[in-house]
């Protein structure tokens, strides 16, 4: 059961009303997470900016989804996990690879290395070593792609933590 009430352009105030009205006018509706984030214009605005920025990430979308699946499995946000598993399937990632992502790995050693980095950024970023970064470069990852891992993890921490705090679960994202 949601702990926070989703808002609409009619019930939101100030900057949140403007952000929601713009989103609804462009997309027809917004999901429960976005409409509930509208309680804080800072959180909603920050989420929208980071989400747009990560849309320009250099990291392959399939890899980003695998990192997201790994992080959300650890974080425990069912709503986010369902969304990222659905996105991975839409990209053609098979069920075995999705299961590997849930455990923080991949059949492909290069993908396994970057997914592991994502989990490490989430759990213990101070333990990342120069050798790990060198190994990622040897797998063909650019510095930009490696840096993008932090953005993917940050976006997942924000959305997952928000959904858990707000009590949003699969089935509660009915749109506003």
């Amino acid at each position: 059961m949601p702990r926070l009430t989703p808002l609409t352009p009619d019930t939101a105030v100030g900057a949140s009303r403007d952000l929601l009205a713009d989103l609804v006018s462009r997309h027809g509706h917004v999901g429960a997470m976005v409409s509930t984030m509208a309680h804080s214009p800072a959180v909603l605005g920050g989420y929208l900016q980071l989400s747009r920025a990560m849309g320009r990430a250099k990291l392959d979308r399939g890899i980003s989804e695998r990192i997201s699946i790994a992080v959300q499995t650890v974080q425990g946000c069912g709503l986010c996990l369902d969304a990222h598993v659905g996105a991975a399937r839409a990209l053609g990632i098979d069920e075995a690879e999705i299961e590997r992502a849930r455990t923080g790995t991949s059949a492909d050693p290069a993908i396994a290395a970057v997914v592991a980095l994502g989990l490490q950024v989430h759990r213990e970023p101070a333990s990342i070593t120069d050798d790990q970064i060198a190994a990622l470069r040897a797998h063909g990852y650019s510095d930009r792609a490696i840096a993008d891992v932090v953005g993917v993890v940050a976006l997942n921490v924000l959305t997952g933590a928000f959904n858990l705090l707000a009590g949003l679960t699969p089935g509660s994202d009915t749109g506003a």
Side-chain angles (χ1 to χ4, degrees), residues 9 12-23:
V13 297
S16 288
R17 177 181 41 231
D18 298 340
L19 288 168
L20 280 179
D22 177 60
L23 289 168

Side-chain angles (χ1 to χ4, degrees), residues 20-103:
L20 280 179
D22 177 60
L23 289 168
V24 169
S25 73
R26 287 190 289 128
H27 303 288
H29 73 281
V30 296
M33 181 187 76
V34 170
S35 61
T36 305
M37 278 183 175
H39 285 285
S40 170
V43 171
L44 179 56
Y47 161 72
L48 292 171
Q49 288 178 12
L50 182 55
S51 184
R52 283 184 201 120
M54 292 314 300
R56 296 184 301 274
K58 187 69 171 171
L59 200 57
D60 175 82
R61 176 92 189 280
I63 292 171
S64 293
E65 293 303 339
R66 287 174 175 94
I67 293 168
S68 297
I69 290 167
V71 169
Q72 293 304 342
T73 298
V74 169
Q75 187 160 273
C77 178
L79 185 60
C80 292
L81 183 58
D82 284 359
H84 291 294
V85 166
R89 287 179 179 138
L91 291 170
I93 297 171
D94 66 39
E95 294 302 316
E97 192 63 12
I98 289 169
E99 265 317 297
R100 287 182 196 99
R102 289 178 192 263
T103 64

Side-chain angles (χ1 to χ4, degrees), residues 97 105-116 135-136 139 141:
E97 192 63 12
T105 192
S106 171
D108 180 322
I111 295 173
V114 76
V115 170
L136 287 165
H139 281 298
Y141 292 104

